[in-house]
Amino acid sequence: MERSANHSDFIRDIIREDLEAGRVTRVVTRFPPEPNGYLHIGHAKAICINFDVADEVGGKTHLRFDDTNPVKEDREYIEAIQEDVRWLGYEWEGLYFASDYFEEMYQRAVLLIKKGKAYVDDLTADQLRETRGTLTEPGQNSPYRDRSVAENLDLFARMRAGEFPDGAKVLRAKIDMASPNLNLRDPVLYRISHAVHHNTGDKWCIYPMYAYAHPLEDAIEGVTHSLCSLEFKDQRPLYDWVVRECEMPHTPHQYEFGRLNLTNTVMSKRHLKKLVDEGLVDGWDDPRMPTISGFRRRGFTPEAIRSFVRELGITVSGGEVDFKLLEHHARQDLSLKAPRTMAVIRPLKLVITNYPEDQVEMMETLVNPEVPEMGTKQVPFSRELYIEQEDFMEVPPPKYRRLYPGNEVRLKDAYIVRCTDVVKDAEGNVTEVHCTYDPDTRSGTGSNTRKVKGTIHWVDCRSALPAEFRLYEPLLLAGYDAEAPLEAQINPESLQVCHGYIGADLQDAKPQDKFQFVRQGYFNVDPKHTTADHKVFNLIVSLKSSFKVDPVPAQG
RNA sequence: UGCCGAAUGGUGUAAUGGUAGCACGACUGACUCUGACUCAGUUAGUCUAGGUUCGAGUCCUAGUUCGGCAGCCA
């Protein structure tokens, strides 16, 4: 795993100090997803942080499914989550399930009861909320708060035995109903839920709450540094209370860092699940989704995501990261890996009128000019080519250096051509561009010293393969409101499908192969919709451009 | 008018009492058989008011703004 030289942040500082002071001998962190949805780029940050900080000091990281709420969880997610973590490039030491600790958690709860630190409460959920107090007023003690230990023990055992319906009773910690920290106002430790659990089946009908279960999970596994996001900050005193009062032999410590927010991106699982369930996107792995699987299908590389996350750093101040930064890391990584090739997304036919009808020349080109070791390849060239519609304008705007009547451009890796004529249909749209070529200007011959301002890409008509291109924009409209219904805020142009051509060199491209379409951007072979005779390419990220084509070209 | 936390260029971060730096973005220019890449340059910042100090982004006080917390979710 690659490491950055000057990593330092408050978490790494704490770890270093703990190590130096001998408080811990080996660092253990954990990534604890709930299997109730797919992982997104925000989780990627948590994954990178947990694995990286441990790895850097020779520690280890557990993958633990925090599966304490059977009604929301599903096996499907367990597999997907593991695939995503692996794909990101991380291997956990130990795969754990919180549900494997249910018995120990139960016994620790019994201990709490015996110590007078927990009690069974018969209040309804509504009553419980009403007596919890508010942000500015203390709560009131439950009338059941002072039940005897014996009664609590009996009731709790009967809860476990299934004698009560869902919601009839809860086990609560006995802490302080007047605490200014709402989390300490006798938080619920266990609830009754007659639900089938993916792991424990119907063995249990009471399930521990996160606030109780999580610290115990960490303690049981010997986690040293339990890293979580900021919204758990207020739970830290409760976390410590649970570990202490349950008399856990090992004491883990919780530290919180700021979540990742990306511009123009919803990150909540609730919203993402809704987009999937309502068919507004093509599944969890829709390339517009901020899920790990979405980024993977779109064509982002794990290296790009990791370097992006590392550049973000770890802080406790929140913010919103510009999506452009992620794109930057994608380009940077892909530029060294992706073979270059010419593809035409919106085709326009170009005919070289003075080129022999049946001649085909093979043009040599570098697979990747930035990495010459990647070699060269041959590209066929002949009289009729497809060029990009954008690369011809009958009436060019200022500074336009592509093709227009009378102008010369270089066909990349081939010849310089001059536009002599255009052919139009009945509506006056240009359907064909006619050019003449200069035989002395063949690329690589060194025989010519002529310079021409513009170079455009092309694909030879005879050998061209039809292909589908999917161009993406942000899924959500700029300035969307996460609180308002999302369906009305979906960017209608978030997916644009184009039908064009690729060169014969992409004949054998496989799903997830990545290419740079010269002058356009990086594309990934879509693994879901590509078939043997129909290739679909996802735009990963476009190339930057310092020239914007006039959006309202004057067509004659 | 509760508790907790955070405020540094447009964005994300660094500077742990001693020259406010880096990256992205934006804008110039050079180069270019990718208007890419690369290179050079420009732009732009310590929330406010006091205080401590030879010296404050950093420490103190007060304020302002923003975020989190009132699930039998995690």
Side-chain angles (χ1 to χ4, degrees):
Chain A
M1 194 69 36
E2 65 270 34
R3 296 175 188 177
S4 262
N6 56 344
H7 264 169
S8 184
D9 50 68
F10 73 99
I11 301 262
R12 278 179 244 254
D13 288 347
I14 288 166
I15 287 176
R16 186 174 31 78
E17 287 160 16
D18 285 345
L19 251 11
E20 284 168 2
R23 284 186 290 270
V24 303
T25 51
R26 190 183 184 199
V27 169
V28 180
T29 61
R30 101 270 91 113
F31 175 61
E34 182 187 16
N36 69 343
Y38 281 62
L39 262 24
H40 54 61
I41 186 79
H43 294 108
K45 176 177 179 180
I47 293 167
C48 291
I49 289 174
N50 274 292
F51 280 89
D52 284 350
V53 297
D55 182 62
E56 285 162 16
V57 295
K60 63 171 177 172
T61 303
H62 297 175
L63 174 61
R64 177 175 72 229
F65 287 99
D66 208 355
D67 53 351
T68 58
N69 185 6
V71 305
K72 288 191 175 179
E73 295 153 11
D74 196 290
R75 282 203 111 85
E76 172 199 357
Y77 302 120
I78 291 177
E79 281 309 311
I81 287 170
Q82 293 182 65
E83 182 187 0
D84 287 348
V85 175
R86 280 207 189 89
W87 177 78
L88 270 178
Y90 296 103
E91 196 52 56
W92 48 90
E93 233 180 284
L95 176 63
Y96 301 90
F97 290 86
S99 51
D100 286 338
Y101 313 141
F102 282 170
E103 183 61 37
E104 171 154 12
M105 290 173 180
Y106 178 84
Q107 295 304 335
R108 298 284 172 180
V110 168
L111 173 64
L112 288 181
I113 292 171
K114 287 178 176 165
K115 293 168 70 176
K117 298 287 186 176
Y119 62 99
V120 173
D121 199 336
D122 297 359
L123 254 27
T124 64
D126 283 345
Q127 291 171 320
L128 205 146
R129 176 162 31 77
E130 284 157 15
T131 54
R132 184 155 28 224
T134 68
L135 294 177
T136 52
E137 304 156 22
Q140 299 120 46
N141 287 352
S142 165
Y144 303 98
R145 197 175 198 258
D146 296 316
R147 289 218 249 231
S148 69
V149 168
E151 187 182 7
N152 280 319
L153 250 15
D154 174 60
L155 254 14
F156 190 48
R158 291 165 60 195
M159 281 170 64
R160 174 179 183 171
E163 288 189 28
F164 309 111
D166 290 4
K169 294 184 184 340
V170 292
L171 182 74
R172 287 228 258 174
K174 190 187 285 189
I175 306 180
D176 178 10
M177 287 306 292
S179 172
N181 182 343
L182 298 262
N183 295 110
L184 265 18
R185 318 241 264 227
D186 290 11
V188 173
L189 269 21
Y190 270 90
R191 77 282 213 178
I192 299 171
S193 178
H194 293 266
V196 176
H197 188 280
H198 74 89
N199 183 24
T200 59
D202 59 2
K203 181 177 181 194
W204 294 90
C205 61
I206 57 172
Y207 292 93
M209 300 291 292
Y210 168 89
Y212 173 69
H214 206 88
L216 295 184
E217 295 158 21
D218 288 339
I220 290 166
E221 292 176 16
V223 166
T224 55
H225 302 263
S226 182
L227 312 178
C228 62
S229 46
L230 242 31
E231 69 267 31
F232 295 104
K233 177 78 177 173
D234 293 339
Q235 301 227 18
R236 200 202 281 202
L238 179 55
Y239 181 101
D240 293 337
W241 182 95
V242 170
V243 172
R244 186 176 65 248
E245 296 300 342
C246 287
E247 301 177 13
M248 301 304 288
H250 172 78
T251 303
H253 294 279
Q254 173 182 304
Y255 302 96
E256 311 83 15
F257 60 85
R259 268 178 187 258
L260 167 63
N261 297 304
L262 265 183
T263 53
N264 231 280
T265 306
V266 255
M267 213 72 94
S268 91
K269 273 193 205 170
R270 199 185 97 239
H271 284 117
L272 298 180
K273 190 168 192 308
K274 185 173 169 155
L275 291 168
V276 173
D277 290 346
E278 296 188 3
L280 297 165
V281 294
D282 184 24
W284 284 100
D285 63 350
D286 184 299
R288 296 166 295 179
M289 291 282 273
T291 49
I292 307 278
S293 53
F295 280 111
R296 178 168 59 234
R297 165 134 87 114
R298 176 94 172 245
F300 282 76
T301 59
E303 292 81 4
I305 292 174
R306 275 190 259 127
S307 62
F308 165 70
V309 167
R310 282 174 186 152
E311 181 172 348
L312 262 27
I314 310 177
T315 64
V316 290
S317 57
E320 201 174 53
V321 180
D322 197 327
F323 199 88
K324 285 185 167 71
L325 184 61
L326 213 201
E327 295 186 328
H328 164 76
H329 285 272
R331 287 192 192 97
Q332 192 168 266
D333 184 50
L334 256 8
S335 96
L336 296 176
K337 294 176 176 167
R340 299 308 89 137
T341 187
M342 294 193 284
V344 173
I345 294 173
R346 297 179 182 86
L348 173 62
K349 187 175 272 192
L350 177 144
V351 179
I352 304 167
T353 53
N354 62 339
Y355 194 87
E357 292 263 0
D358 297 317
Q359 182 169 314
V360 176
E361 285 181 82
M362 296 307 287
M363 301 299 185
E364 185 171 79
T365 177
L366 253 15
V367 172
N368 185 338
E370 289 190 60
V371 189
E373 308 83 73
M374 287 172 79
T376 61
K377 64 183 169 187
Q378 305 291 318
V379 181
F381 176 88
S382 65
R383 189 172 192 264
E384 297 194 354
L385 311 171
Y386 293 114
I387 63 168
E388 208 67 54
Q389 286 173 19
E390 235 184 31
D391 288 337
F392 173 82
M393 283 192 137
E394 199 171 14
V395 182
K399 294 187 181 170
Y400 190 77
R401 19 170 138 137
R402 282 108 98 148
L403 219 43
Y404 53 87
N407 194 42
E408 279 190 328
V409 297
R410 171 168 293 279
L411 294 171
K412 185 170 166 56
D413 301 321
Y415 297 98
I416 291 176
V417 294
R418 177 186 300 279
C419 175
T420 55
D421 200 5
V422 298
V423 178
K424 296 182 184 179
D425 63 12
E427 281 87 48
N429 301 309
V430 175
T431 57
E432 240 174 60
V433 176
H434 287 187
C435 292
T436 55
Y437 85 118
D438 179 346
D440 291 334
T441 57
R442 201 221 223 241
S443 292
T445 58
S447 65
N448 119 84
T449 52
R450 276 175 64 194
K451 294 276 185 204
V452 98
K453 264 279 174 43
T455 298
I456 66 173
H457 61 276
W458 50 273
V459 172
D460 164 61
C461 288
R462 256 184 290 200
S463 57
L465 271 15
E468 178 176 325
F469 304 98
R470 299 190 170 198
L471 312 181
Y472 300 103
E473 284 183 23
L475 216 209
L476 299 170
L477 262 4
Y480 78 95
D481 176 4
E483 305 308 313
L486 282 188
E487 46 274 50
Q489 305 183 77
I490 296 207
N491 177 3
E493 291 172 17
S494 61
L495 167 63
Q496 188 181 356
V497 177
C498 298
H499 295 278
Y501 297 95
I502 54 177
D505 57 314
L506 292 197
Q507 170 79 57
D508 298 321
K510 300 282 183 297
Q512 295 297 111
D513 280 353
K514 294 157 185 62
F515 301 93
Q516 183 199 98
F517 291 168
V518 170
R519 299 209 307 131
Q520 306 194 97
Y522 295 95
F523 285 78
N524 185 47
V525 179
D526 186 279
K528 200 160 176 174
H529 298 300
T530 293
T531 62
D533 51 4
H534 180 68
K535 287 189 169 43
V536 176
F537 291 86
N538 292 322
L539 171 65
I540 306 167
V541 59
S542 65
L543 254 25
K544 290 203 291 182
S545 174
S546 58
F547 178 77
K548 311 279 185 280
V549 181
D550 190 336
V552 270
Q555 276 271 355

